[in-house]
Amino acid sequence: MTKIKLYRCLGVVCMALVFTACKTPEIAEKKVNKAVPASFNSQDSTKTNSADLNWKDYFTDPYLTALIDTALVNNQELNITMQEIRIAKNEVSARKGEYLPFVNIGGAAGVEKAARYTFQGSNEAETEIKPGKETPEPLPDFMVGAFATWEVDIWHKLRNARKAAVARYLGTINGKNFMVTNLIAEIANSYYELLALDNQLAIVKRNIEIQSNALEIVKLQKQSARVTELAVRRFQAQVLNTRSLQYNIQQRIIETENEINFLVGRYPKHIERDHEIFVDMVPTMVQAGVPSQLLENRPDVKQAEFELAAAKIDISVAKANFYPSLGISAGLGLQAFNPVYLVNPKSILANLAGDMVGPLINKRAIRATYQNANAKQIQAVYNYQKTLLNAYIEVANQLSNISNLQNSYDLKAQEVDALTQSITISNDLFKSARADYMEVLLTQRDALESKFDLIETKMQQMHATVNIYRALGGGWN
C-alpha cells in the first residue's frame, strides 16, 4: 500500500512538472525574406555566371596566379580562420557527446573511524566479520568500479544543440570561403595597382627626359636673348617637380609591393611582374547571371543563412529548459575493507537510479534565456537580409561602374592623343616665337596629367573586373 501511494505521489509531481513547464512565454519569430529582384539594373539576364569560373581561369597573368597560390597557403589571417573551423568542428563533437551516456571508471581507498557512541559506531562494534573476528577499527575502505550517467534527451534539447553547432560549423566554412574570395580580390587589386604605378613611373621618366631637353633649348634661347631668365627658371622648376613626383611614385611602389608580400605571408621582396602588358590589358567580359544565384554563390550570404538556422534551433534549445529533464545514473563495482575480499562475489556493488527535475518557481533566468534566443534569431534575420541586400547592391554598382569606366577610358585616350600632339605643336610654335613658354609648360603639364589619368582609369577598369568577380561570389570554388 505504501508503494502505491509513493507511485501516485511521483505521478502527481511529474504531472505538475510537465504542466508548469508547458506554460512557455508566447514569442513571435520573424520570418526571413529571400526575395530578390529578377535582374540587376533592370537588364536582361541569363543564368551564365562568371562566378562559376575558377579563379585560375578568370585571372590569366602567370605572375598574379603565382602570388594567389602562395597566399592561399601562407596567409596568416586565412590560417587563423582555418583554426576557427577546427574549433567549430570540435564543438560539434562536444555537443554530440552530451546526449550519449558518460561512463567513468575509477578506484578509491580510505580509512574511517566512527565514534563508538553513534549509530554507525555501535553497529560496527557489534558486527563480526567471521565468528570471533570483529570488524577492524579503524575501518579501511577499498573500491573499484564503473559509473555511468545519462541525461535522456526526451525533449531533443541536446540533439538540437548539436544541430545548432553543425550549422555554425558550416557557417565558419563559408566564412573561410568569403575570406578566400576577398583575399584573391585584394591581391589582384594590389597587383594591378602595382602595374599602374610602374607605368606611371615610366611616363614620368620619359617626361623628365622631354622636359630636360626643353630646358636645354630654353637655355640656348636665353643666350641668344630670345627669352629671359624667368623662362629658364620656370622650365627648371618643372623638371624638378617631375623628378620629385618620380620619388613619390617609387615610394608608393615599395609600399604596394609590401602590401602584397604581407597578404602572401612573406617578408618584403621584389614582386615579379611584366608592367608593359598593362596598357594593352582588356577587361574581362563578365556575365552577372541572375540575382537569385547570389544565394548560392556568395559565401557571406550562405554564412548568414547558416547563422540564421543555428539561431532558430537555439530557440528550441532554450524552450526545452522549461521542461523537466530525466537523468539516469548507474554504478557497478567492488567494495570491501580488505583488498583480498574484492574478488569475493559478496563485494559486488551495484546501483541504478533515475530522477526527473524541472523548474517550478522563479523561472526568470530560463525565460530571459528564451527571450534572448528569440531576439538573436530576429537579429540573425536582419543580418541575413542586410547581407543579401549588400551583395545585390555591390553587383549592381560594379556593373554600372564597368560600363561607365569603359566610356571614360575611351574619352581619356582621345584626350591623351590630342595633348600628346599639342606638345609637338607647342614646341614648334615656341621655337618660331609664335607661342610663349607658359603655353609650352601648361601643355606639357596637361599632357602628363592626362597620361596619369588614363593609367588610373585603366587600373580602375581592372579593379572593376576583380570587384565584380568578388561581388558575384567567385574565387572560393
Side-chain angles (χ1 to χ4, degrees), residues 25-306:
E26 292 293 334
I27 294 181
E29 296 184 28
K30 183 174 179 59
K31 303 298 181 182
V32 64
N33 181 13
K34 295 186 177 182
V36 292
S39 62
F40 297 105
N41 298 334
S42 300
Q43 299 175 353
D44 294 334
S45 302
T46 64
K47 289 190 175 181
T48 304
N49 197 316
S50 296
D52 296 332
L53 288 174
N54 186 277
W55 65 265
K56 290 186 177 180
D57 297 324
Y58 191 81
F59 300 107
T60 57
D61 188 324
Y63 295 112
L64 174 57
T65 56
L67 289 171
I68 295 174
D69 262 330
T70 306
L72 293 179
V73 176
N74 296 336
N75 181 265
Q76 286 88 352
E77 194 69 28
L78 185 58
N79 288 330
I80 291 172
T81 303
M82 294 299 295
Q83 297 307 311
E84 291 177 357
I85 292 176
R86 291 187 178 182
I87 293 171
K89 187 176 182 180
N90 291 335
E91 190 69 18
V92 173
S93 299
R95 297 286 79 77
K96 182 179 180 181
E98 287 182 351
Y99 62 79
L100 297 176
F102 291 88
V103 180
N104 300 312
I105 187 171
V111 63
E112 180 184 9
K113 181 183 183 307
R116 176 66 180 82
Y117 298 109
T118 62
F119 180 78
Q120 181 181 348
S122 61
N123 282 339
E124 290 178 357
E126 296 175 359
T127 302
E128 294 183 345
I129 303 303
K130 292 180 181 180
K133 187 174 181 180
E134 297 180 352
T135 301
E137 187 181 4
L139 182 67
D141 185 24
F142 299 93
M143 186 270 294
V144 62
F147 306 92
T149 58
W150 181 33
E151 181 179 348
V152 183
D153 195 20
I154 52 179
W155 310 115
H156 285 198
K157 178 179 71 174
L158 302 178
R159 283 178 171 80
N160 284 334
R162 178 180 178 273
K163 289 180 181 178
V166 170
R168 289 192 170 89
Y169 165 66
L170 296 176
T172 58
I173 292 177
N174 281 280
K176 185 268 295 183
N177 292 339
F178 188 56
M179 178 173 289
V180 168
T181 296
N182 286 328
L183 177 62
I184 292 173
E186 195 170 352
I187 291 175
N189 281 333
S190 296
Y191 180 78
Y192 290 134
E193 182 180 353
L194 190 58
L195 295 183
L197 289 171
D198 287 341
N199 280 267
Q200 288 179 344
L201 182 61
I203 291 171
V204 167
K205 289 181 177 179
R206 286 197 298 269
N207 272 269
I208 290 174
E209 184 178 351
I210 294 171
Q211 292 169 1
S212 297
N213 292 335
L215 176 60
E216 294 302 321
I217 293 173
V218 172
K219 287 180 178 179
L220 292 175
Q221 289 182 336
K222 177 182 176 295
Q223 292 177 4
S224 59
R226 294 181 59 185
V227 297
T228 63
E229 180 66 19
L230 178 60
V232 175
R233 294 302 181 186
R234 293 301 298 267
F235 272 87
Q236 186 179 32
Q238 187 178 44
V239 173
L240 294 173
N241 179 267
T242 308
R243 285 180 177 174
S244 173
L245 182 60
Q246 172 187 349
Y247 292 110
N248 181 39
I249 294 175
Q250 288 176 346
Q251 177 61 27
R252 290 178 60 191
I253 288 175
I254 291 175
E255 291 177 358
T256 306
E257 280 188 323
N258 288 338
E259 285 178 9
I260 296 175
N261 283 316
F262 177 78
L263 294 173
V264 171
R266 67 190 183 193
Y267 285 98
K269 62 179 293 187
H270 175 70
I271 302 296
E272 295 293 334
R273 59 194 183 272
D274 182 6
H275 70 273
E276 294 180 356
I277 66 172
F278 181 72
V279 177
D280 298 325
M281 280 184 173
V282 178
T284 305
M285 294 296 295
V286 177
Q287 298 291 334
V290 293
S292 59
Q293 292 174 322
L294 294 173
L295 300 176
E296 292 298 325
N297 291 338
R298 285 274 300 220
D300 57 334
V301 174
K302 295 178 71 175
Q303 182 182 19
E305 184 177 6
F306 282 118

Side-chain angles (χ1 to χ4, degrees), residues 217 221 226 425-435 440:
I217 293 173
Q221 289 182 336
R226 294 181 59 185
I425 295 172
S426 65
N427 287 336
D428 292 340
L429 291 175
F430 178 72
K431 291 176 184 178
S432 59
R434 296 169 62 187
V440 177

Side-chain angles (χ1 to χ4, degrees), residues 278-279 281 283 409 454-462:
F278 181 72
V279 177
M281 280 184 173
Y409 184 83
L454 184 65
I455 294 297
E456 187 77 18
T457 305
K458 171 65 74 173
M459 181 186 72
Q460 291 175 2
Q461 279 188 302
M462 301 310 298

